[in-house]
Amino acid sequence: MSGFIAPGATLGVMGGGQLGRMFVHAAQQMGYTAAVLDADAGSPAGGVAQHHIQAAYLDDQGLAQLAQHSAAITTEFENVPAPALRTLAAHRRVAPGADPVAICQDRAAEKACFARSGVPCAPHVLIDSADGLATVDAALLPGILKTARMGYDGKGQARVSTRDELRTAWQALGGVTCVLEQRLPLAREISVVVARGADGQAVHLPVQQNLHREGILAVTRVPAPDVAAELQHAAVQAALRLAEALDYVGVLCVEFFVLQDGSLVANEMAPRPHNSGHHSIDSCDVSQFDLQVRTLTGAPLVAPRQHSPCVMLNLLGDLWFRHGKQPVEPDWAAVLALPGAHLHLYGKAEARPGRKMGHLTVTAPSADAARIIALQAAQVLGIEAF
Ligand code: ATP
Ligand code: MG
């Protein structure tokens, strides 16, 4: 199923979250119609797509409907069951494919892929039984215990320093298959978004420097202010190598740690656009969502060019609760008074602490100016300075 799918066709997306919403916007801008499959009647992407199929990911009827509507189908949610993508792929072009998605869904398989591709990752061990806990190498402690599957935004993780803590944490995580990783001395966190077409051609966004707070992305800065050019080059090369190794078609994000000794270590991959790449909508001439549309439709891939330095602030539900238990809408007018501020809200009905409600990208003629204005926005919104 190769060839170019021209505007006018319908593109399908599995999942109705904010990533799906921004994909739909990009697809519609280029003249495509969009179909979203998501069980939630109020999903961010379902609300903007022309077709919203309200069904569970493994609902045969829902999948058949999505395939019927769509010339090609992509995914926006990392944990869409790989078998659902396989079912769709029997009828329609699906990108990314079920196999690379399955690898990215499983931390153990993901780390094996890093190893095969010659990309270093944290020392780790798979834990799938109580017996396994007893024989864990002491060198992996202090460590971070992570469920092998279904984790996101720091959920399904526990920091452990001793064997006792490890045992308690594994039980608290439900005794499911986990990966214990050595806790590494991080200097920085960065990510790279690559897009690879069915013909093997690949392009990438500039390296993104990320600040996480409590396991959730808080701030992204591009260009990465504190990462040497050679290291940025190495990260891009590693991300491209991984896309190649997975024979990947679509948008792939690879998260890396820069350690205090200056070395580069891969953390994890996301088989879709990534929160840290949202800035590209406003700071680059081709966004990560444009790239997703292009890889899906078989359109030519051109290298994105960043035209403006930028800072992206994540807008979590916590910002609604600065004044008490009743949610209060943040002062958007004050934020919009700042030059170069681009507000993105995802249309979620209810704010909850830790919930991603939107993001704000500040673009400016220089990185310093972008940071100064982003700090002003942070102050207005009650986001800690960075
Ligand atoms: P998401 O999918 O939202 O990126 P996640 O829940 O999959 O997050 P990770 O990316 O594995 O979680 O970890 C979240 C954060 O925890 C990392 O960005 C990093 O700040 C910290 N962290 C994770 N693993 C390690 C490690 N081995 N050593 C030190 N810090 C770590
Ligand atoms: Mg992560």
Side-chain angles (χ1 to χ4, degrees):
M1 285 188 246
S2 60
F4 176 50
I5 297 171
T10 299
L11 303 180
V13 55
M14 289 289 278
Q18 60 267 20
L19 300 173
R21 179 181 173 99
M22 290 181 270
F23 167 80
V24 167
H25 285 152
Q28 290 173 335
Q29 179 180 314
M30 285 187 239
Y32 294 95
T33 296
V36 166
L37 183 143
D38 192 300
D40 178 3
S43 78
V48 296
Q50 284 93 339
H51 307 284
H52 179 190
I53 299 150
Q54 272 181 54
Y57 295 128
L58 287 167
D59 179 313
D60 284 335
Q61 231 178 336
L63 292 176
Q65 263 185 52
L66 183 68
Q68 201 178 14
H69 275 301
S70 314
I73 297 156
T74 188
T75 172
E76 66 101 40
F77 175 58
E78 183 157 350
N79 292 319
V80 165
L85 297 178
R86 251 177 227 120
T87 301
L88 291 169
H91 308 283
R92 289 288 182 264
R93 181 189 299 178
V94 173
D99 293 343
V101 168
I103 290 173
C104 296
Q105 284 172 346
D106 182 327
R107 290 189 193 275
E110 188 172 63
K111 284 181 161 59
C113 176
F114 291 148
R116 274 198 307 279
S117 309
V119 177
C121 65
H124 62 278
V125 67
L126 190 72
I127 295 183
D128 54 7
S129 71
D131 292 348
L133 290 173
T135 54
V136 159
D137 185 348
L140 294 177
L141 295 171
I144 303 190
L145 186 67
K146 304 180 179 180
T147 57
R149 303 175 60 83
M150 302 302 270
Y152 69 99
D153 286 350
K155 294 185 177 71
Q157 297 196 9
R159 293 181 170 235
V160 293
S161 298
T162 64
R163 271 178 208 281
D164 277 350
E165 283 178 18
L166 175 61
R167 194 169 304 114
T168 312
W170 185 65
Q171 279 156 3
L173 289 172
V176 297
T177 304
C178 284
V179 168
L180 174 69
E181 285 179 30
Q182 190 182 62
R183 205 180 308 161
L184 299 171
L186 311 188
R188 304 280 171 218
E189 298 194 52
I190 59 176
S191 56
V192 179
V193 170
V194 301
R196 187 171 181 274
D199 60 357
Q201 200 211 339
V203 298
H204 62 89
L205 290 179
V207 171
Q208 297 143 178
Q209 182 171 318
N210 305 321
L211 173 67
H212 290 82
R213 291 180 176 143
E214 289 161 36
I216 307 181
L217 181 66
V219 182
T220 295
R221 297 169 70 184
V222 197
D226 306 308
V227 182
E230 311 85 77
L231 209 61
Q232 295 197 28
H233 180 73
V236 168
Q237 293 310 310
L240 290 170
R241 227 161 47 235
L242 287 164
E244 177 98 37
L246 291 165
D247 197 14
Y248 197 86
V249 179
V251 171
L252 176 77
C253 181
V254 187
E255 297 178 11
F256 296 91
F257 300 141
V258 180
L259 304 190
Q260 280 164 19
D261 68 3
S263 58
L264 188 71
V265 167
N267 174 29
E268 60 171 355
M269 298 185 280
R272 49 166 175 78
H274 193 260
N275 195 165
S276 62
H278 290 354
H279 70 90
S280 58
I281 297 173
D282 302 304
S283 71
C284 297
D285 57 1
V286 182
S287 78
Q288 61 173 349
F289 301 100
D290 296 331
L291 292 171
Q292 189 178 15
V293 174
R294 285 178 183 241
T295 53
L296 184 62
T297 59
L301 290 179
V302 294
R305 179 181 66 86
Q306 186 180 11
H307 50 71
S308 301
C310 69
V311 176
M312 187 224 50
L313 304 176
N314 249 353
L315 305 175
L316 300 181
D318 309 63
L319 305 183
W320 275 248
F321 295 95
R322 291 168 67 203
H323 308 290
K325 286 208 163 99
Q326 287 308 314
V328 176
E329 199 72 14
D331 188 353
W332 302 128
V335 168
L336 291 168
L338 298 168
H342 309 265
L343 179 63
H344 299 255
L345 291 172
Y346 306 146
K348 296 185 183 178
E350 192 199 343
R352 288 196 296 268
R355 191 175 198 200
K356 289 176 177 168
M357 302 300 291
H359 69 271
L360 183 83
T361 305
V362 175
T363 55
S366 73
D368 282 345
R371 177 160 181 270
I372 288 166
I373 296 164
L375 284 169
Q376 290 170 7
Q379 193 171 22
V380 168
L381 294 168
I383 297 171
E384 197 187 319
F386 52 88

